[in-house]
Amino acid sequence: QVQLVEAGGGLVQAGGSLRLSCAASGFPFTRYIMGWFRQAPGKEREFVASISRSGDSTVDAESVKGRFTISRDNAKGWVYLWMNSLKPEDTAIYYCAACERCPLPSARRYEYDEWGQGTQVTVSS
């Protein structure tokens, strides 16, 4: 059974940090591009960051560039999102996603095959 299970969300003050994790199981993890997306109330789900199969290249949304870092541990089947200098506009449900057919890290949400249940991140001002 394919599963992506996120954890690490919570309530933080503006300027603070969080690390999100995503535990993958039920599929060949290293064959998939991995990504993080987020969705705030009343808004579309938007791209945050994506990472190559080997972990040697990444793509970040302009809104998080320089503040967030995506990484993966292929031995464990886990992907992470390190979030620093958090802003109130980062408040959203964050979703882990996997893309089998993406040739490169991808910002296109409809290309992703598998999705986690999401974890809430709330940044207070």
Side-chain angles (χ1 to χ4, degrees), residues 42-84:
K43 296 184 178 181
E44 286 192 326
R45 190 168 300 187
E46 68 174 358
F47 171 72
V48 176
S50 183
I51 189 166
S52 65
R53 292 168 175 82
S54 67
D56 63 354
S57 65
T58 62
V59 175
D60 302 321
E62 288 294 327
S63 59
V64 307
K65 195 166 294 181
R67 300 188 298 121
F68 292 10
T69 301
I70 187 171
S71 64
R72 66 192 294 164
D73 184 337
N74 284 344
K76 295 176 63 175
W78 284 39
V79 61
Y80 305 93
L81 185 68
W82 303 83
M83 305 187 295
N84 299 307

Side-chain angles (χ1 to χ4, degrees), residues 54-120:
S54 67
D56 63 354
S57 65
T58 62
V59 175
D60 302 321
E62 288 294 327
S63 59
V64 307
K65 195 166 294 181
R67 300 188 298 121
F68 292 10
T69 301
I70 187 171
S71 64
R72 66 192 294 164
D73 184 337
N74 284 344
K76 295 176 63 175
W78 284 39
V79 61
Y80 305 93
L81 185 68
W82 303 83
M83 305 187 295
N84 299 307
S85 302
L86 283 161
K87 304 174 181 179
E89 52 262 45
D90 295 319
T91 295
I93 300 174
Y94 283 71
Y95 297 90
C96 177
C99 178
E100 182 181 17
R101 304 184 196 281
C102 296
L104 296 168
S106 176
R108 302 169 185 169
R109 65 182 182 272
Y110 290 109
E111 292 188 345
Y112 286 77
D113 305 291
E114 307 292 341
W115 294 84
Q117 83 288 349
T119 185
Q120 177 71 48

